[in-house]
Amino acid sequence: MSQARVYRRSAALLRLCLIMCVTLLSNSAAEGNLNLNWYRKPNIVLILTDDLDVSMGGMIPLNKTRKLIGEAGITFTNTFVASPLCCPSRASILTGKYPHNHHVINNTLEGNCSSEAWQKTQEPETFPAILQKYGYYQTFFAGKYLNEYGNKQAGGVEHVPPGWDYWFALERNSKYYNYTLSVNGKAQRHGQNYSEDYLTDVLANVSIDFLQYKSNYRPFFMMVSTPAPHSPWTAAPQYEGQFTKVKAPRDPNFNVHGKDKHWLVRQAKTPMANSSVEYLDNAYRRRWRTLLSVDDLVEKVVKKLEVRGELENTYIIFTSDNGYHTGQFSMPLDKRQLYEFDIRVPLLVRGPDIKPNQTSSLLVANIDLGPTIVDMAGWDVNKTKMDGMSFLPIMTGKANSSTWRSDFLVEYEGEGHNVSDPACPILGPGVSECFPDCVCEDSYNNTYACVRTVSPAANLQYCEFDDNEVFVEVYNLTADPFQLTNIAKTIDQEVLEKMNHRLMMLQSCSGQSCRTPGVYDSRFKFDPRLMFGSLSPHISRLRQTLK
């Protein structure tokens, strides 16, 4: 490494140390009177990946992560997201709320992603703000926050959300090189030199620095949000030659026509062109390669905690903001769909009082992360406005299927352009994320809400679309785990009525009412048109434009 690069690295580390020292000095008086109850509180680490699936083998490359977190604690096999898109999902993680309550509907500023409205109404109620204000936690963030974070129309990188003592946030969406970080509100620009700029490694290094120089007299919360395995899938140089023979899984729903599904899925070309299959296989390999650096990050954090004698009193949570698909139902590459591959994510946790080598099949959602973390910190979830539930009792053996939820809500509002996509003019306006062979991954009426049910008696998914026909999709995942057959037209009418009723209840829930089991009224008549319109939280400008 050149002398100039060594100097820049040393200067960056010195700035980090100075920031921490100033904060520590400002808190010294309070720490002098510290109650031992604060001192004994557990530390908490949340490692959040970007677009990491679990249904398509996304966890396979993460050997160290599975050993150091999963085998040392608990692995949840039925973990889902409230929305299969980055910004709405991350908003649900931070607030513990469904999208209809935090009102972030897509990855744009107009969709409330890191907008001034979000900053004013939701950021003060996030779980880091609660930890800092009521739990006396020192809080640290590094990595991708929300897709539009740093937008000059919403405060730029100078905006540091409430609740964070140390802030190292990526401007905008995931990158690996040539990006800008907000370092406590000041722009830090990075280039394309691996040893200085590869973002996953930068996040690992700054996290280790925080663990080294933080206060030892206060518990800490650390959130590390990696770019991997999000596109552009840029691997570290030492991993570029890995997985050369790996291909995307050829499961039964790979490269088959999505019959009986929403028109957006039906429009996919089946079979896919050979060029499309080659492209997605290559993307699949590249995604795996980026995860090897995430695996290294996890190992570094765990070892640092161990060396410092803090590992046994630290919860470590590993998860993702949404899943991903690679060729399922001939949809090449993306998320945004209601199926298992897009809404199901990994969740591994280790920590105090969590026995090793556990597996739980109970239904957990990403809206539960915030409630669980504040519960870990000793704060009453009922004092918050969160919709989710703490799954800490599951991990410590104090909850079972008789006391836990059996369903939850998935919401997504589709995005589309009011002009035809040049890659797919035949479909007209209202589509987006189109591939050159005229397969579009999203549209403005790819807007749906689903009830996902997981219980000993049922493994079902019920979805309604907000489109002209109010299209309905229903899947029995016990008999049809790959969701090949939509049984909406053959399932018993009474079951449809109950699921429709439960869907409307969940879409109108808030706070504690989201945690109650469904109560079905046998007099209720099935009418999916009652759902959207009156209960939809948002009517997009685009939809108004297209009418």
Side-chain angles (χ1 to χ4, degrees), residues 44-47 315-319 347-349 369 373 376:
I44 307 167
V45 175
L46 172 60
I47 299 173
Y315 290 103
I316 305 178
I317 305 166
F318 181 91
T319 190
L347 177 61
L348 291 68
V349 189
L369 288 169
I373 290 170
M376 290 171 172

Side-chain angles (χ1 to χ4, degrees), residues 54-200:
V54 70
S55 297
M56 307 307 302
M59 286 298 297
I60 293 175
L62 294 161
N63 294 316
K64 300 172 185 176
T65 301
R66 286 185 280 111
K67 179 180 179 180
L68 294 172
I69 304 180
E71 293 178 14
I74 186 169
T75 299
F76 289 88
T77 58
N78 282 312
T79 306
F80 297 88
V81 295
S83 186
L85 188 64
C86 299
C87 203
S89 178
R90 289 165 183 265
S92 287
I93 290 171
L94 290 163
T95 62
K97 297 178 181 179
Y98 283 120
H100 70 262
N101 287 327
H102 62 58
H103 306 298
V104 177
I105 60 169
N106 57 42
N107 288 343
T108 67
L109 204 62
E110 294 76 17
N112 206 27
C113 181
S114 204
S115 67
E116 290 183 347
W118 155 266
Q119 295 171 15
K120 181 179 180 180
T121 64
Q122 301 300 320
E123 281 187 341
E125 298 178 353
T126 61
F127 74 80
I130 293 172
L131 292 183
Q132 185 192 62
K133 184 175 182 179
Y134 300 111
Y136 205 60
Y137 274 71
Q138 51 190 323
T139 55
F140 169 92
F141 180 88
K144 176 178 173 179
Y145 178 58
L146 301 176
N147 296 59
E148 284 295 324
Y149 173 76
N151 191 310
K152 292 182 179 179
Q153 298 179 43
V157 296
E158 293 77 19
H159 171 68
V160 177
W164 299 104
D165 295 311
Y166 310 108
W167 181 252
F168 297 82
L170 176 68
E171 180 188 37
R172 302 295 182 95
N173 204 4
S174 283
K175 293 183 178 180
Y176 298 83
Y177 294 109
N178 299 310
Y179 56 86
T180 297
L181 291 178
S182 170
V183 180
N184 292 311
K186 294 184 179 180
Q188 183 187 89
R189 292 175 176 83
H190 285 258
Q192 53 187 9
N193 181 283
Y194 169 70
S195 61
E196 296 179 0
D197 303 314
Y198 188 70
L199 183 54
T200 307

Side-chain angles (χ1 to χ4, degrees), residues 47 52 70 201 235 364 394 467 484 501 510:
I47 299 173
L52 176 60
D201 291 354
V364 174
I394 297 176
D467 58 13
L484 298 171
H501 189 198
S510 179

Side-chain angles (χ1 to χ4, degrees), residues 249-270:
R250 267 50 171 178
D251 289 334
N253 55 12
F254 178 83
N255 201 11
V256 299
H257 184 251
K259 61 180 181 179
D260 298 328
K261 291 174 170 48
H262 190 244
W263 76 269
L264 183 67
V265 177
R266 295 199 308 267
Q267 57 88 31
K269 303 293 191 300
T270 304

Side-chain angles (χ1 to χ4, degrees), residues 180-250:
T180 297
L181 291 178
S182 170
V183 180
N184 292 311
K186 294 184 179 180
Q188 183 187 89
R189 292 175 176 83
H190 285 258
Q192 53 187 9
N193 181 283
Y194 169 70
S195 61
E196 296 179 0
D197 303 314
Y198 188 70
L199 183 54
T200 307
D201 291 354
V202 169
L203 299 182
N205 292 336
V206 75
S207 298
I208 298 306
D209 290 342
F210 166 73
L211 293 175
Q212 180 66 34
Y213 296 106
K214 65 177 175 58
S215 167
N216 292 327
Y217 300 98
R218 294 169 61 194
F220 69 85
F221 169 72
M222 183 169 77
M223 182 171 177
V224 187
S225 183
T226 73
H230 195 286
S231 62
W233 316 305
T234 307
Q238 67 269 30
Y239 296 134
E240 288 178 348
Q242 298 294 310
F243 310 124
T244 55
K245 296 182 180 180
V246 169
K247 294 183 178 181
R250 267 50 171 178

